[in-house]
Amino acid sequence: MSIFVTGATGALGSLVIQHLLRTVPGDQITAVVRHVEKASSLTALGVEVRHGDYADPASLEKAFAGADKLLFISSPDTDDTLRIVHHANVVKAARDAGVGHLFYTSFAFAEESAIPLRHVHLATEHMIRTTNLPYTFLRNSLYTEVFVNPGLAASLPHGALVTNTGSGRLNTAFRSDLAAAAAAVLTGEGHENKTYNLVSDTAWSYDELASLIAGITGKPFVHQAVSYEEQANMLRSAGLPEPVVQLVAGINQAVAEGETSRTSGDLRNLIGELTPLRTAVEDILKGSV
């Protein structure tokens, strides 16, 4: 059984490879990467490395030759129109290379979502269905790391996290858990033509996050809710470029409006225990308390 992983040197792809190597010999895994020179650590583990560039269809068809299972990790490009072009290149190459089973990292609850990036993922899912290849859609949540990151420590002296998320709840998941789920379906059976919403089965809020931080540090710490405009102005004052301002404030507003509150048991069913939010917060605050 040959398992191929695109974007294998990226944050998610590299974690998937790590999980796969726990149960699959390296010589059954192929890493498809844009920059082969960055994948020497994978070669040392016995993983075959092939060049494949989403913008170069010919390189992709060659890279995918012989793949029984292919994990297609979505393009990180910020231009959504270009992402769709890249995704079309990958899907067509997978079809033309005769890939046995195509797995795609999509977006959780894509049909019901109001977040604009859903359009890219729904379009890609449709393209995959047109190939008649067996598929599995791994609809990933937003990463917990987007929200729970080293920036939390910088908030400690102020005694508050300031966001426009309101009382909205987040069904985020850690990359490592999503990677474990991808490895589970890639090495398992019975996932043909299935769709999984890979989110936490217990959503959390910024109020709860602030309370968690207060409990860990033993110091008063709160979540201060502000408006979209106030959040955007704060981000601008911090020197962030306008596209980033719009992205951060926009995601937070979607949280406030309930966009990320839906839960599912799919992720826990695939991997068992999920990484606790507290564990990540403690790791981030270590040395700051």
Side-chain angles (χ1 to χ4, degrees), residues 25-37:
D27 61 7
Q28 293 183 21
I29 303 171
T30 298
V32 179
V33 300
R34 185 168 55 173
H35 301 292
V36 173
E37 65 276 10

Side-chain angles (χ1 to χ4, degrees), residues 153-215:
S155 301
L156 290 180
H158 307 288
L161 276 172
V162 183
T163 79
N164 61 309
T165 58
S167 58
R169 303 187 67 77
L170 298 97
N171 58 11
T172 60
F174 288 95
R175 278 192 188 90
S176 58
D177 288 350
L178 295 171
V185 296
L186 284 166
T187 56
E189 300 296 334
H191 301 294
E192 291 82 358
N193 304 331
K194 298 285 184 65
T195 298
Y196 299 107
N197 286 297
L198 302 180
V199 303
S200 174
D201 55 3
T202 305
W204 58 274
S205 70
Y206 265 84
D207 290 337
E208 292 168 349
L209 176 60
S211 178
L212 183 59
I213 293 171

Side-chain angles (χ1 to χ4, degrees), residues 17-195:
I17 296 284
Q18 290 177 30
H19 282 286
L20 286 172
L21 285 170
R22 295 175 183 176
T23 57
V24 177
D27 61 7
Q28 293 183 21
I29 303 171
T30 298
V32 179
V33 300
R34 185 168 55 173
H35 301 292
V36 173
E37 65 276 10
K38 294 182 179 180
S40 57
S41 61
L42 295 177
T43 304
L45 294 171
V47 174
E48 181 181 359
V49 175
R50 296 186 186 180
H51 171 255
D53 188 333
Y54 289 0
D56 180 1
S59 74
L60 295 172
E61 185 174 348
K62 183 178 180 181
F64 297 161
D68 294 318
K69 296 181 178 181
L70 169 65
L71 175 62
F72 165 24
I73 294 178
S74 60
S75 167
D77 202 286
T78 55
D79 183 330
D80 282 348
T81 302
L82 184 57
R83 288 183 85 193
I84 290 176
V85 173
H86 287 170
H87 288 190
N89 290 340
V90 174
V91 173
K92 182 177 183 299
R95 182 199 67 186
D96 294 348
V99 166
H101 186 161
L102 183 57
F103 300 73
Y104 170 62
T105 60
S106 189
F107 184 62
F109 304 107
E111 290 96 347
E112 300 92 346
S113 175
I115 293 180
L117 63 84
R118 74 188 180 98
H119 297 298
V120 172
H121 294 292
L122 287 173
T124 306
E125 288 185 6
H126 177 71
M127 284 188 281
I128 290 171
R129 288 189 177 97
T130 67
T131 66
N132 291 321
L133 293 175
Y135 65 82
T136 303
F137 296 146
L138 304 173
R139 289 183 165 181
N140 291 344
S141 66
L142 294 173
Y143 300 137
T144 303
E145 291 90 341
V146 171
F147 305 93
V148 180
N149 56 56
L152 290 179
S155 301
L156 290 180
H158 307 288
L161 276 172
V162 183
T163 79
N164 61 309
T165 58
S167 58
R169 303 187 67 77
L170 298 97
N171 58 11
T172 60
F174 288 95
R175 278 192 188 90
S176 58
D177 288 350
L178 295 171
V185 296
L186 284 166
T187 56
E189 300 296 334
H191 301 294
E192 291 82 358
N193 304 331
K194 298 285 184 65
T195 298

